[in-house]
Amino acid sequence: GAVVSQHPSWVICKSGTSVKIECRSLDFQATTMFWYRQFPKQSLMLMATSNEGSKATYEQGVEKDKFLINHASLTLSTLTVTSAHPEDSSFYICSASWGGAYNEQFFGPGTRLTVL
Amino acid sequence: AQKVTQAQTEISVVEKEDVTLDCVYETRDTTYYLFWYKQPPSGELVFLIRRNSFDEQNEISGRYSWNFQKSTSSFNFTITASQVVDSAVYFCALSEAKTSYDKVIFGPGTSLSVIP
């Protein structure tokens, strides 16, 4: 149980285009989903937290107009990288939790974005 | 402020050797959780353990063991009789009760290479 999927697993796009990454909780309802970014040989950095039906909360330094997050249902959150540039190339990982006293996070397999 | 330090950036060991990965954390909260995750070359995070701040019992799971010492704010991870499949990046992480445990702060990671 507690499986989280991401789609696509990798994507290559041209500079200036927008890319949408999906994060789905397959066997549970995720009240909260998280988006992380990981540059090569670096740690995971939390970008934003999204609760179903409400606006995402972005971490300091993350541009909310560039990284659009939508959490429209209890099983799906999307991250759209708008007007992507080469510096946005990274490994994007989502996680999901079902709430409760302790919000254990279950991580997706990640999406590798390469912007040419 | 939260902070997780993993002083060892890279470690190489020969197969069957034991190896300990260090983790030192910093928090002002009395209630918090500590984690270890494994990230193999595929990129997908693998959850290894969660420990709350009130449980200082050491834990053993197969070849893995964890030593939690609040007095030194450390949560070290030992792999006994290492195997090539243990080669991965290992992250120690922390979440505090103040943030409703939602925000997980990852350490910089330790890259472990097990040489056959």
Side-chain angles (χ1 to χ4, degrees):
Chain A
V3 178
V4 176
S5 70
Q6 281 185 239
H7 178 80
S9 55
W10 60 269
V11 57
I12 301 173
C13 70
K14 291 183 179 180
S15 187
T17 61
S18 294
V19 174
K20 180 184 284 188
I21 302 171
E22 292 185 349
C23 176
R24 293 182 185 272
S25 56
L26 299 185
D27 51 3
F28 67 100
Q29 294 188 323
T31 55
T32 308
M33 286 186 169
F34 308 85
W35 288 95
Y36 296 82
R37 180 168 54 185
Q38 185 181 29
F39 291 110
K41 295 189 183 296
Q42 293 190 24
S43 188
L44 283 75
M45 299 299 296
L46 180 64
M47 299 174 66
T49 303
S50 74
N51 291 297
E52 185 263 340
S54 59
K55 288 185 178 180
T57 302
Y58 289 81
E59 294 298 302
Q60 197 171 11
V62 178
E63 300 174 60
K64 61 180 180 181
D65 294 330
K66 180 164 187 62
F67 299 99
L68 300 178
I69 293 172
N70 183 281
H71 191 166
S73 78
L74 285 171
T75 59
L76 173 64
S77 176
T78 59
L79 167 67
T80 301
V81 183
T82 62
S83 186
H85 288 93
E87 58 265 29
D88 299 322
S89 298
S90 186
F91 193 52
Y92 291 88
I93 304 173
C94 76
S95 70
S97 70
W98 54 46
Y102 169 67
N103 289 322
E104 180 167 359
Q105 294 186 28
F106 299 94
F107 286 85
T111 296
R112 191 163 302 281
L113 170 63
T114 302
V115 185
L116 303 177
Chain B
Q2 297 183 27
K3 186 176 178 182
V4 179
T5 302
Q6 295 178 255
Q8 305 144 310
T9 305
E10 296 181 1
I11 301 177
S12 288
V13 298
V14 176
E15 200 171 19
K16 298 184 183 177
E17 285 184 349
D18 298 347
V19 58
T20 295
L21 309 182
D22 298 332
C23 173
V24 174
Y25 62 93
E26 180 183 328
T27 177
R28 294 180 182 175
D29 208 329
T30 56
T31 306
Y32 52 89
Y33 281 91
L34 295 164
F35 310 81
W36 276 95
Y37 288 90
K38 174 183 180 180
Q39 188 177 40
S42 64
E44 186 164 0
L45 278 179
V46 178
F47 169 82
L48 296 178
I49 190 171
R50 178 183 78 236
R51 173 66 86 223
N52 75 55
S53 53
F54 300 108
D55 183 3
E56 285 194 75
Q57 267 194 323
N58 292 330
E59 180 154 339
I60 298 175
S61 176
R63 296 185 297 109
Y64 296 168
S65 62
W66 290 269
N67 184 346
F68 177 26
Q69 292 196 346
K70 287 177 76 171
S71 60
T72 56
S73 297
S74 65
F75 187 42
N76 297 337
F77 171 35
T78 298
I79 302 175
T80 304
S82 60
Q83 300 176 1
V84 173
V85 292
D86 296 328
S87 297
V89 179
Y90 291 86
F91 292 99
C92 180
L94 164 73
S95 68
E96 291 179 329
K98 280 183 190 173
T99 58
S100 299
Y101 304 112
D102 279 352
K103 188 168 182 177
V104 177
I105 301 297
F106 285 82
T110 296
S111 178
L112 173 65
S113 296
V114 181
I115 304 165

